[in-house]
Amino acid sequence: MANEIKQVAVIGSGVMGSQIAAHVANAGIPVLLLDIVPKGAEDRSQLAKGAIEKLLKMDPAPFMHKKNARLVTPGNIEDDLPKLKDVDWVVEAVLENPQIKSDLYKKVDAVRKPGSIVSSNTSTIPLEVLIKDQSAAFARDFLITHFFNPPRYLHLLELVVGQKTRDDAISTISAFVDIQLGKGVVRCKDTPGFIANRLGTFFMQTAINATLDLGLSVQEADAVCSRPMGVPKTGVFGLIDLVGLDLMPLIAKSFMGTLPADDEYRKIYREPELFGKMIADGYTGRKGKGGFYRLNREGGKKVKEAIDLKTGQYSEAGKPKIAALQNAGKDLRKLCETDDEHGKLAWAVLGQTLSYAASLAGQIADDIVSIDNAMRWGYNWKFGPFELIDQLGTAWFTERLKKEGRPVPPLLEAAKGRPFYRIEGRACEYLTLQGTYAPVTRPEGVLLLADIKRGAKPVLKNGSASLWDIGDGVACFEIHTKMNSFDPDVLGLVLKSVDLIASDRLRWKGMVVHNEGDNFSAGANLGLALFALNIGLYPAIDSLVEQGQKAFRALRFAPFPSVGAPFNLALGGGCEVNLGCSAVQAHAELYMGLVEVGVGIVPGWGGCAQMLMRAFSSKKRFGGPMPPLAQVFETVGTAKVSRSAAEAKDLMYLRKSDGITMNRDRLLFDAKQKVLALAPGYKPPEEMKFRLPGKAGRAALSLVLQGMRLAGKVTPHDMVVSSALGNVLTGGDTDITAELTEADILALERSEFMKLVKTPGTLARIEHMLGTGKPLRN
């Protein structure tokens, strides 16, 4: 049904409207972006045109590739509204004013294609108010599609439908935003703020109140109300800085005008005098002069400062030492039971927020799964409210509310101490509003490794990796080290997995390389490498390089197809393993690169060979060996990292034929389907042959490097590392008449890698990266 949407229009080119248009373009769909005609404007479509120009300059980028901007056509609602006759979906993102929206809808209804779908991006105006004065046909085609900002990056889309909305409009939009826009769709009730903003705003307000009441600093509050609760590291005050402090009173005003008289938010809302002063003075957060935090650049330095909530003065934002967090570890209940200011803060925030969520279940959604998904996908919480209650224990949570004389929500009473989620066999079940359990279901085309692993045993396993049977003769190789880094056990299991699958072709058709961590892989285990280097265990490092080359080479030449399924960070070895696969099915949000030069080494697991192969095989290559060689030298030598899967194709980390999945929940399923499509009659590739320029090529690269050195663009150790990279890419001691194989390039990679790890400059880079997470420019 998703393919029924072939053209989209977005009306309103403000922050949300323009970014929604950009994300539709990311899906390869033409989109018309319309706005009003400014008074006295020479260019009647200047607002929409200006919005597209802003989109191209924004960071993080709304477009996954700049060329996607060509799919956005600017216009205005006075001249271009008739073009809606060709549009399948119209998204309204204008001012949150019911009358303005109502007038616009009537104009849209008069010219739109019969049966086209119309939606609003509102989160403050009830659907029934929006369609009150509209035609019956319009009401049947209308719904609310609430995107979260920024639309490209936040997974949640809240979907609200009316009593008159036709079923096929609901299914068409649900499929489109899920499959082609990559959104997690949550059906919400038509209530103020829907789910995520209703609970997210309440969470922030409870944290503000408790922080002020307990006399804590913003740094202390953010340390407690962040990762210990599964909330992003921005915490509460950092989040307000991100979204804008000036939005808080506007959100509060909206809620105060629409929430029921007895709603708990009305009882807890406060507007501290300091906040009003900050807004008046322009301290609204990152978009203003600063907010609760600011960056002081006086004296040419960059010092992060935090505001004192009592005095309004700024001082350096140190990292607070909080005993309650150290003592509790990962035990959330222990944190809430700690009898100091920080334990009291944790309980004040969680006690109120989680009981509020439980009291609203049934009012804002039909089930707790929708509520948990909304908070995880919209606010990037690691756990939803009911998953957090399960961590605390429903019986403990209920008893504590009773002990404090606070009302216990009916859903908590119905739980009777049972968890909100339980595992029955291999199925995950949730507690319904009726007090019974029902299975958590997945949409068709969604395959999660977590579901596969539940109650199952791996085909192969060690402490660092596992091989799982994901059905239909397809295996999934999963890394589960810290940051999914490669160590000897990971590489050893790659070899064992290849041997196992190759030895039983009746059972196995192929393999997917995938995991469900925060990132696909950060590359080799640098900590392990540093330990070996510090005690002079160079043979161990050499063995690791050799083992990685063997593992990825075995994957490349296996008699069955392998499909990499990377997402988020896929760096160094995390990139190289995908380069060695038969094909890749990547998540659209892919930050992939060969970044080894940043730690003073060259790619050693086949990255150089594979990049050379792709450059020399490119249809766009020019005559002679130097243009493709120079392209690889620039990409690898400057450690370029893609900012999307689309950009990864430009950089040749992905082939043009590799697939892109917009919704990460569908990535494993799509990768599995690619294995099944490749399996019939699959033959491994032939080994690539190269003719490289040797000394002549290195001389040309050296001139480029010297120019960059004189211009101050490269450091002394950059010169050492780049020279080593140049030696690999030009073929070492060869010339254009000699033929080299992939194995020859691998030998050069290993040789130059081992030379570099023995240099003080590379050791310093590795130590600095492990200590700071940032590259050293030495």
Side-chain angles (χ1 to χ4, degrees):
M1 291 182 182
N3 59 8
E4 293 178 20
I5 306 293
K6 296 178 180 177
Q7 189 168 344
V8 174
V10 178
I11 303 178
S13 65
V15 172
M16 282 302 292
S18 62
Q19 291 194 69
I20 291 170
H23 196 53
V24 171
N26 288 334
I29 305 295
V31 55
L32 185 64
L33 181 62
L34 306 180
D35 212 319
I36 60 171
V37 177
K39 289 182 180 178
E42 291 184 15
D43 186 338
R44 294 170 63 80
S45 300
Q46 72 178 46
L47 289 181
K49 289 179 180 178
I52 296 170
E53 291 174 6
K54 287 179 185 176
L55 289 171
L56 288 166
K57 297 175 184 176
M58 288 175 67
D59 188 21
F63 288 115
M64 290 179 175
H65 196 292
K66 288 191 175 182
K67 69 181 180 183
N68 293 344
R70 301 173 201 160
L71 290 169
V72 184
T73 302
N76 66 79
I77 56 176
E78 290 185 23
D79 304 326
D80 300 307
L81 219 52
K83 293 179 181 177
L84 298 186
K85 65 180 176 58
D86 299 318
V87 166
D88 304 300
W89 177 26
V90 180
V91 183
E92 169 269 303
V94 302
L95 292 173
E96 292 291 86
N97 181 307
Q99 191 58 54
I100 290 174
K101 291 179 188 288
S102 180
D103 293 343
L104 174 63
Y105 293 162
K106 288 173 182 174
K107 294 176 182 177
V108 168
D109 200 20
V111 296
R112 71 187 178 102
K113 179 197 293 186
S116 60
I117 300 168
V118 183
S119 72
S120 175
N121 186 56
T122 187
S123 65
T124 63
I125 305 172
L127 185 145
E128 292 306 313
V129 171
L130 293 173
I131 63 169
K132 184 175 62 174
D133 297 325
Q134 307 305 319
S135 69
F138 186 90
R140 286 194 298 272
D141 295 335
F142 186 81
L143 33 74
I144 290 174
T145 50
H146 180 221
F147 289 82
F148 275 66
N149 190 23
R152 170 183 166 182
Y153 299 96
L154 284 181
H155 189 51
L156 178 63
L157 182 131
E158 291 180 318
L159 184 68
V160 181
V161 304
Q163 294 181 346
K164 299 175 182 177
T165 309
R166 56 188 172 88
D167 290 342
D168 52 348
I170 299 168
S171 58
T172 296
I173 288 298
S174 296
F176 180 79
V177 298
D178 171 353
I179 298 168
Q180 293 192 243
L181 298 189
K183 297 297 156 197
V185 181
V186 171
R187 285 281 293 270
C188 307
K189 300 291 186 73
D190 192 14
T191 55
F194 307 140
I195 299 174
N197 283 341
R198 179 90 172 263
L199 298 181
T201 301
F202 189 91
F203 169 79
M204 289 189 282
Q205 190 64 56
T206 60
I208 290 168
N209 294 353
T211 301
L212 293 170
D213 292 345
L214 292 165
L216 297 174
S217 68
V218 295
Q219 304 101 294
E220 290 173 297
D222 283 347
V224 173
C225 300
S226 56
R227 285 176 172 168
M229 297 180 181
V231 171
K233 65 180 181 179
T234 48
V236 174
F237 292 98
L239 176 62
I240 295 171
D241 276 356
L242 186 63
V243 300
L245 177 59
D246 53 331
L247 284 180
M248 296 297 287
L250 299 177
I251 294 169
K253 183 179 179 182
S254 172
F255 276 137
M256 290 301 194
T258 54
L259 288 173
D262 61 347
D263 192 85
E264 193 66 21
Y265 179 80
R266 291 182 176 277
K267 301 175 187 176
I268 69 161
Y269 180 68
R270 302 183 208 167
E271 193 171 342
E273 184 178 336
L274 173 63
F275 292 11
K277 185 177 186 305
M278 289 172 68
I279 294 169
D281 293 344
Y283 286 90
T284 54
R286 296 189 189 183
K287 65 183 179 182
K289 300 176 183 177
F292 295 105
Y293 298 96
R294 73 178 185 185
L295 205 58
N296 188 336
R297 293 185 171 87
E298 289 179 6
K301 297 181 180 179
K302 291 182 180 180
V303 179
K304 185 179 181 181
E305 297 181 334
I307 199 168
D308 186 312
L309 294 174
K310 295 172 186 167
T311 66
Q313 301 300 308
Y314 286 93
S315 61
E316 186 170 346
K319 190 174 182 180
K321 293 182 179 179
I322 298 177
L325 294 179
Q326 294 174 339
N327 295 335
K330 295 183 179 180
D331 190 332
L332 196 59
R333 185 196 295 186
K334 190 174 181 180
L335 175 60
C336 290
E337 289 176 330
T338 303
D339 190 24
D340 65 10
E341 287 82 358
H342 301 113
K344 290 174 182 176
L345 172 67
W347 171 245
V349 174
L350 289 176
Q352 292 179 86
T353 301
L354 302 183
S355 59
Y356 185 60
S359 72
L360 293 176
Q363 294 180 41
I364 58 177
D366 287 329
D367 54 67
I368 64 168
V369 178
S370 296
I371 296 172
D372 280 346
N373 284 343
M375 295 312 297
R376 286 192 289 105
W377 296 343
Y379 275 72
N380 279 333
W381 286 13
K382 190 172 183 179
F383 312 104
F386 296 97
E387 292 170 313
L388 286 169
I389 294 175
D390 276 354
Q391 286 187 35
L392 295 170
T394 52
W396 178 89
F397 189 74
T398 302
E399 285 305 308
R400 181 146 184 185
L401 292 179
K402 288 180 178 177
K403 185 179 178 181
E404 295 178 359
R406 293 160 62 182
V408 177
L411 183 58
L412 267 173
E413 294 280 19
K416 297 177 181 177
R418 295 173 295 165
F420 282 108
Y421 293 92
R422 72 179 187 185
I423 304 301
E424 280 292 304
R426 294 186 63 178
C428 178
E429 297 182 338
Y430 70 95
L431 191 69
T432 68
L433 303 182
Q434 293 72 41
T436 59
Y437 283 96
V440 176
T441 58
R442 308 291 185 199
E444 184 180 351
V446 170
L447 178 65
L448 301 181
L449 195 54
D451 292 343
I452 297 288
K453 291 163 60 176
R454 194 181 299 117
K457 291 183 178 180
V459 181
L460 294 173
K461 180 180 174 65
N462 61 30
S464 298
S466 302
L467 186 72
W468 299 92
D469 184 346
I470 60 174
D472 301 314
V474 181
C476 179
F477 185 88
E478 176 202 23
I479 309 174
H480 38 73
T481 54
K482 184 178 181 181
M483 289 292 286
N484 295 322
S485 61
F486 285 84
D487 62 18
D489 281 349
V490 173
L491 298 170
L493 201 72
V494 170
L495 287 165
K496 286 184 179 179
S497 298
V498 170
D499 287 344
L500 176 76
I501 296 171
S503 67
D504 191 355
R505 299 305 310 285
L506 291 176
R507 178 182 177 185
W508 300 108
K509 293 184 175 68
M511 182 171 80
V512 173
V513 182
H514 179 66
N515 64 74
E516 289 175 351
D518 292 333
N519 294 289
F520 177 78
S521 175
N525 186 328
L526 285 180
L528 192 66
L530 182 61
F531 173 77
L533 291 174
N534 278 326
I535 59 174
L537 276 178
Y538 297 117
I541 299 293
D542 188 47
S543 176
L544 182 66
V545 178
E546 181 185 24
Q547 190 182 19
Q549 290 187 348
K550 284 182 177 178
F552 295 169
R553 192 167 167 80
L555 197 63
R556 173 164 157 71
F557 293 109
F560 58 83
S562 57
V563 174
F567 54 89
N568 289 359
L569 292 180
L571 304 176
C575 176
E576 286 174 297
V577 69
N578 286 283
L579 293 174
C581 285
S582 312
V584 173
Q585 184 70 34
H587 183 228
E589 295 299 341
L590 180 63
Y591 313 109
M592 178 180 262
L594 295 172
V595 296
E596 285 85 349
V597 296
V599 288
I601 55 178
V602 296
W605 289 341
C608 295
Q610 292 302 312
M611 292 296 285
L612 281 173
M613 184 189 316
R614 293 175 184 211
F616 278 98
S617 302
S618 173
K619 293 179 181 178
K620 293 183 178 180
R621 65 162 291 199
F622 300 99
M626 286 309 294
L629 195 154
Q631 184 181 3
V632 175
F633 184 73
E634 181 186 356
T635 299
V636 180
T638 57
K640 286 188 177 179
V641 175
S642 68
R643 291 178 293 176
S644 67
E647 282 195 6
K649 291 192 174 188
D650 286 352
L651 295 171
M652 298 187 300
Y653 295 138
L654 296 183
R655 307 172 186 87
K656 297 300 180 184
S657 58
D658 286 332
I660 297 176
T661 296
M662 292 291 280
N663 191 331
R664 186 176 156 185
D665 288 346
R666 296 180 173 275
L667 181 58
L668 180 57
F669 178 87
D670 290 350
K672 177 183 172 182
Q673 297 310 116
K674 189 175 279 285
V675 169
L676 294 172
L678 291 171
Y682 178 79
K683 292 182 181 179
E686 293 183 3
E687 183 146 355
M688 184 84 171
K689 303 291 196 301
F690 302 92
R691 291 187 184 275
L692 299 172
K695 289 183 179 179
R698 281 199 300 284
L701 293 179
S702 179
L703 286 174
V704 174
L705 281 173
Q706 290 297 338
M708 294 174 70
R709 179 80 178 97
L710 291 171
K713 294 181 179 179
V714 295
T715 66
H717 199 58
D718 285 337
M719 293 290 289
V720 175
V721 179
S722 295
S723 295
L725 177 63
N727 194 44
V728 176
L729 297 180
T730 56
D733 293 328
T734 187
D735 60 49
I736 202 70
T737 63
E739 189 173 73
L740 300 179
T741 65
E742 291 179 49
D744 293 326
I745 306 301
L746 289 177
L748 283 167
E749 285 185 0
R750 185 174 166 189
S751 173
E752 293 297 337
F753 188 103
M754 290 309 300
K755 289 176 186 175
L756 287 168
V757 294
K758 295 174 183 176
T759 64
T762 289
L763 185 63
R765 285 193 176 191
I766 294 174
E767 288 178 334
H768 191 269
M769 178 62 77
L770 284 170
T772 67
K774 297 176 182 179
L776 175 67
R777 301 285 292 155
N778 60 337

